[in-house]
Amino acid sequence: MQYHLPANNMYGDRPIVIDFPENWEVHISEFAGYRTPKLSEEEIADKIHASIGTAPICEGAKGKKSAVIIIDDMTRPTPCEAPAKAVIRELLQAGVPKENIWFVAALGTHGVMYREHFVKKLGEELVDEFEIYNHNVFFNHAFIGNTSNNVPVEINADVMAAEYKVAIGTTMAHSFFGFSGGAKCILPGVASMRTITANHSFTTLNEFNMGNPKTKMRSDAEEAARMMGLDFKIDVVLNGKAEICELFAGDFEEEFKEANDYAAKHYRAAFVPDCDVVIANNHFKPAEANCAYTPETKASLKDGGTYILAANTPFGQCVHFLYDSWGHSEPGGMMWSGCYPKEKNMDQAIVFASHTIKGARDAWYIDERSGAVYVKTWDEILSRIDDGTPKKVVVYPNAEAHILDNSKDFYKKMD
């Protein structure tokens, strides 16, 4: 059996061809909406205009002298160009001067973006015509008060300076927030290190909230977004090729409710138990490969099996001021608490990644010191695990977004 493993998101979306031995029983567990057709640019613009819970941008921005468009960064898969162009058309229709429209990349505590990255997210035309800034997590914030959980809300000063505020992002399952999207573009997106650290103290790396829309981190972020005045939010949903196949736009709480309900069904995938080999592929967020190293995917592996964490992108791994190790010195990032280790029931833990940096990678894949092995090619993996015996295998093509479902009804749907 031959399979095209999704890879190289935003770098040509070039899949990696992998061949399985004939005596292997292979299950490909795609999420329910994997093959949903992508939206056209016209459909994207129409869905943005048909806003949920608030006036369309062309009406809501009337009389405003400036506007900011917040976009997510290279660690997220959102194709921002088509939504951003639709937003700009509406802002110009509202009368906002073109020279007073700018972009801010919602880095949170991630490393900065460079021109190459902005072009991949927005295209050459927008990069040439509009001011674009990286969010600085350490400096230049406006304090706007405390949340009910006593989190100090400090937001990027250039975001706060705009009279109308729009944000573009993606809704999918998230291990901390339950789902990405909605207010997450503000906190952590354009918040200060002090604000983010306080918000992220509501969870630990061992807590797993994938698919749970009601977390303390999210409720606090929503309160912060309401306090700072986010006027309009766009959340896209992606198919298996990381193309926009659905979109929700409007008031950030109202659109998120609909986006969340849709995403909860869209990203469901069949849980396949008792496997000799589990391939958890991170296609949407390969810079944070361990987002695919979930309790659910690990539960598919029987004792003594091989777990393969796959994440292939020339971008490499994330740079993170909160969770990175930053070398051998202590304490590392502000909330650094150790790498994800190879589990005791795994005979082998293999990281299938063609572009990594030794040492810096361990925080975002599986700790090499715990016994994980890093390889660059599928042939090398086969040489390690193919001993000629039959094997039961599952491939989770987008494990970082999967909400795994072990119900018999769902198996029937997948069939």
Side-chain angles (χ1 to χ4, degrees), residues 381-393:
I381 291 175
L382 282 182
S383 70
R384 290 178 174 275
I385 67 175
D386 182 19
D387 56 6
T389 62
K391 298 185 188 301
K392 181 180 179 181
V393 182

Side-chain angles (χ1 to χ4, degrees), residues 83-216:
K85 287 182 175 179
V87 168
I88 289 169
R89 286 193 294 270
E90 295 236 355
L91 289 171
L92 295 176
Q93 185 180 343
V96 180
K98 182 177 179 180
E99 64 272 19
N100 290 345
I101 300 171
W102 62 86
F103 288 86
V104 171
L107 303 176
T109 59
H110 297 165
V112 301
M113 292 170 65
Y114 297 96
R115 186 181 188 280
E116 172 193 356
H117 307 144
F118 287 125
V119 170
K120 288 182 180 298
K121 296 290 284 191
L122 290 169
E124 288 278 359
E125 181 182 347
L126 295 183
V127 171
D128 286 342
E129 293 186 5
F130 292 89
E131 295 179 5
I132 305 176
Y133 301 102
N134 282 300
H135 169 61
N136 188 329
V137 73
F138 299 106
F139 301 106
N140 305 327
H141 307 110
F143 173 70
I144 56 176
N146 290 347
T147 69
S148 56
N149 290 315
N150 205 33
V151 169
V153 180
E154 298 171 339
I155 303 297
N156 180 289
D158 284 302
V159 168
M160 294 306 300
E163 292 189 8
Y164 193 82
K165 304 172 182 64
V166 185
I168 302 170
T170 299
T171 294
M172 64 177 60
H174 189 280
S175 57
F176 285 0
F177 272 76
F179 283 90
S180 61
K184 195 173 182 294
C185 62
I186 301 302
L187 202 181
V190 291
S192 72
M193 177 62 82
R194 186 165 77 119
T195 300
I196 296 170
T197 302
N199 173 262
H200 281 47
S201 69
F202 295 153
T203 191
T204 69
L205 294 180
N206 294 322
E207 187 176 351
F208 188 68
N209 278 308
M210 204 119 172
N212 173 16
K214 297 181 180 180
T215 64
K216 191 174 182 181

Side-chain angles (χ1 to χ4, degrees), residues 277-307:
V277 179
V278 172
I279 302 175
N281 185 53
N282 195 323
H283 177 49
F284 290 153
K285 298 192 289 185
E288 296 181 346
N290 56 20
C291 290
Y293 194 51
T294 66
E296 292 175 317
T297 59
K298 287 185 276 188
S300 288
L301 188 69
K302 69 182 184 182
D303 289 348
T306 296
Y307 188 98

Side-chain angles (χ1 to χ4, degrees), residues 34-35 216 271 298 314 330 342 348 369:
Y34 189 93
R35 300 181 183 275
K216 191 174 182 181
F271 174 79
K298 287 185 276 188
E330 297 293 341
K342 170 188 173 185
Q348 295 189 72
R369 293 164 296 184

Side-chain angles (χ1 to χ4, degrees), residues 292-351:
Y293 194 51
T294 66
E296 292 175 317
T297 59
K298 287 185 276 188
S300 288
L301 188 69
K302 69 182 184 182
D303 289 348
T306 296
Y307 188 98
I308 301 170
L309 177 63
N312 288 278
T313 173
F315 184 78
Q317 67 271 342
C318 179
V319 173
H320 208 301
F321 290 102
L322 200 63
Y323 289 129
D324 259 349
S325 61
W326 293 94
H328 295 291
S329 57
E330 297 293 341
M334 295 290 289
M335 297 184 74
W336 168 245
S337 60
C339 300
Y340 288 87
K342 170 188 173 185
E343 300 291 343
K344 293 180 180 179
N345 73 319
M346 298 174 181
D347 178 52
Q348 295 189 72
I350 299 174
V351 176

